[in-house]
Amino acid sequence: MWITAPGGNGFYLERIGKGGEHVTLLGSQARAKRRKSRPSILRSARVQRGPRRRPAKRHKRGSKRGNRLKKRRNLRGLRQAPADLLIDVEGERQIAFEDGFRKGKYEGGEGFLARLIPEHMILPDIPVEHVIALGFEQVRHLLQTLIDPADIFAHMERALERKEPLSVVRLGDGELLALAHDRVLSSGLVRKEGPFLGYAGIDIPDHEYRDQLANAVRQATFVGIPTSRAPNFQGLMYPTFRAHGMDVRQMRLTYSTVNYMLAQYGFLNRLMQGRRVLVVGNAAEELAAVLLARGIQIAGIITPVMGVRDTPRILAEVGHYSFDLALVAAGIPAVLITQRIASQYGKVALDFGHLANKIASGELGF
């Protein structure tokens, strides 16, 4: 216990220290003389245990705490929600079942089969159940070799020299989902599996441009396909091709990453040297600037491409330019535009994809 010296005003300040607790006493000297017992002193004490607690704050509108409370209040009213706001439970259950079945089938068989397939090869449309029953060696003769990027380069070089039409299109999960909707998979499942499709250039459902996309794949000179047998890649490709009447063994197939391979092996630079290049797509201006800096002659730039329904306008603009080679980086519409540049204008066209962005940003060279 300690007590300060009396002040001139006749009051004193007394502090008692005990176990981390501080007691402040304030009173007149006369009163202190009358109350000398400890119990009396403590009765007049104001106890301070650590920092004084502040009164609870009201959370401002829009704060995290306020938003949580608001959501909690809103949840109480869900029982009274209008019928049109309720979830379509049966529809969601059907989509979940369809999705789970496809992915479960892959994990239960296709995933194992994929590990048996040699590098640079694909296995045509043989159900995994048959492969397991017969043994992989029994179907080895069905393996189909993909066309090497060096051969693709040779074909493109020859077409450029002879001024013949040639198109190289590429299929990824976005293109395959677009081709499959309401033919192999429901539109609901496709929207769930491909929430990016609107950004990639097609709003599901769109049966008109789905069928146009299939026709472009059917007529393309070379078709790049994924080597993965995952559900949204080869697992979706074979049934989708069958649904559109395409025979995979009659198609000239290469890698879906053939654009990157052409750049990596130096073939792309060789194709562009001494030729007029038309650049099409949302990254066309940035890509053209890099190509110009490397001495490539740019015949024209067409940008932007606003989805598959913008294809007629893009093709009309293509007719305004004189060029030898077209590089098309436009998401899903690139398949349509690339194939039609070849068939309508007799030119060589390459589905360039995200390689345009990577070259424009300097991430990749050629």
Side-chain angles (χ1 to χ4, degrees):
M1 177 187 297
W2 63 92
I3 301 176
T4 62
N9 57 5
F11 285 80
Y12 69 88
L13 181 64
E14 181 178 302
R15 290 178 62 83
I16 301 174
K18 184 179 180 180
E21 178 180 303
H22 301 290
V23 180
T24 301
L25 305 176
L26 182 63
S28 67
Q29 293 180 4
R31 188 185 304 164
K33 291 178 181 179
R34 293 194 299 269
R35 300 178 182 178
K36 291 185 179 179
S37 64
R38 182 179 178 85
S40 297
I41 293 174
L42 292 177
R43 277 196 300 270
S44 64
R46 180 166 56 88
V47 179
Q48 297 177 348
R49 296 178 180 271
R52 187 175 180 181
R53 296 183 62 183
R54 297 179 180 178
K57 293 182 178 179
R58 290 191 64 182
H59 295 279
K60 294 181 179 180
R61 184 175 297 177
S63 67
K64 292 183 179 179
R65 173 67 175 168
N67 287 339
R68 286 198 296 270
L69 293 173
K70 184 178 179 181
K71 289 179 181 178
R72 196 174 300 166
R73 288 193 298 270
N74 290 341
L75 286 174
R76 297 192 190 107
L78 284 180
R79 294 179 181 177
Q80 291 78 34
D84 59 341
L85 295 180
L86 296 178
I87 297 173
D88 181 5
V89 177
E90 187 59 35
E92 290 295 321
R93 183 184 292 116
Q94 179 62 34
I95 291 174
F97 174 82
E98 188 180 356
D99 185 29
F101 178 84
R102 293 172 58 247
K103 291 179 178 176
K105 182 178 179 181
Y106 173 77
E107 294 296 335
E110 295 286 355
F112 295 104
L113 178 58
R115 290 192 285 272
L116 298 174
I117 299 175
E119 192 176 3
H120 309 306
M121 308 287 275
I122 63 169
L123 179 65
D125 191 14
I126 305 296
V128 66
E129 296 86 355
H130 291 181
V131 176
I132 294 172
L134 298 173
F136 182 72
E137 292 302 321
Q138 300 296 318
V139 296
R140 182 176 290 275
H141 65 284
L142 297 175
L143 290 171
Q144 184 174 346
T145 303
L146 296 176
I147 300 174
D148 187 86
D151 291 332
I152 297 292
F153 163 71
H155 283 284
M156 293 180 73
E157 182 79 7
R158 187 180 306 114
L160 285 165
E161 292 174 353
R162 298 178 180 179
K163 301 188 182 303
E164 295 175 346
L166 182 147
S167 58
V168 180
V169 303
R170 303 176 308 104
L171 305 180
D173 56 345
E175 289 79 10
L176 290 169
L177 285 166
L179 286 165
H181 83 275
D182 293 334
R183 278 296 186 94
V184 177
L185 304 178
S186 65
S187 288
L189 179 55
V190 167
R191 283 193 295 268
K192 178 179 179 294
E193 289 292 293
F196 55 87
L197 288 175
Y199 169 79
I202 186 169
D203 294 319
I204 302 300
D206 189 333
H207 297 164
E208 177 188 355
Y209 276 87
R210 174 202 64 191
D211 294 342
Q212 288 192 28
L213 190 64
N215 192 51
V217 173
R218 193 179 293 110
Q219 295 185 37
T221 312
F222 297 100
V223 180
I225 64 168
T227 56
S228 169
R229 293 178 67 88
N232 288 342
F233 292 96
Q234 283 192 28
L236 184 58
M237 182 184 76
Y238 289 119
T240 298
F241 281 0
R242 283 200 308 272
H244 287 283
M246 290 182 256
D247 184 356
V248 68
R249 302 199 70 86
Q250 301 301 317
M251 301 169 69
R252 291 194 277 184
L253 303 178
T254 186
Y255 300 88
S256 60
T257 55
V258 65
N259 54 335
Y260 289 94
M261 294 177 175
L262 290 171
Q264 180 183 355
Y265 301 151
F267 296 138
L268 179 62
N269 187 50
R270 292 169 61 181
L271 286 171
M272 294 188 293
Q273 289 296 331
R275 294 185 172 107
R276 298 163 298 173
V277 178
L278 176 66
V279 186
V280 181
N282 294 340
E285 293 179 346
E286 296 86 348
L287 175 60
V290 175
L291 298 181
L292 277 170
R294 290 284 298 271
I296 306 300
Q297 181 182 353
I298 301 300
I301 298 171
I302 300 177
T303 188
V305 178
M306 308 299 291
V308 291
R309 293 190 168 273
D310 201 24
T311 301
R313 180 187 68 83
I314 298 298
L315 291 171
E317 284 197 40
V318 170
H320 299 157
Y321 297 98
S322 176
F323 63 97
D324 303 304
L325 171 66
L327 305 178
V328 184
I332 293 173
V335 175
L336 288 168
I337 296 168
T338 299
Q339 187 276 321
R340 291 183 183 176
I341 286 176
S343 62
Q344 292 183 22
Y345 296 102
K347 303 295 184 179
V348 176
L350 172 64
D351 180 352
F352 212 57
H354 281 101
L355 180 59
N357 305 82
K358 293 185 179 296
I359 291 178
S361 66
E363 183 178 346
L364 291 178
F366 58 98

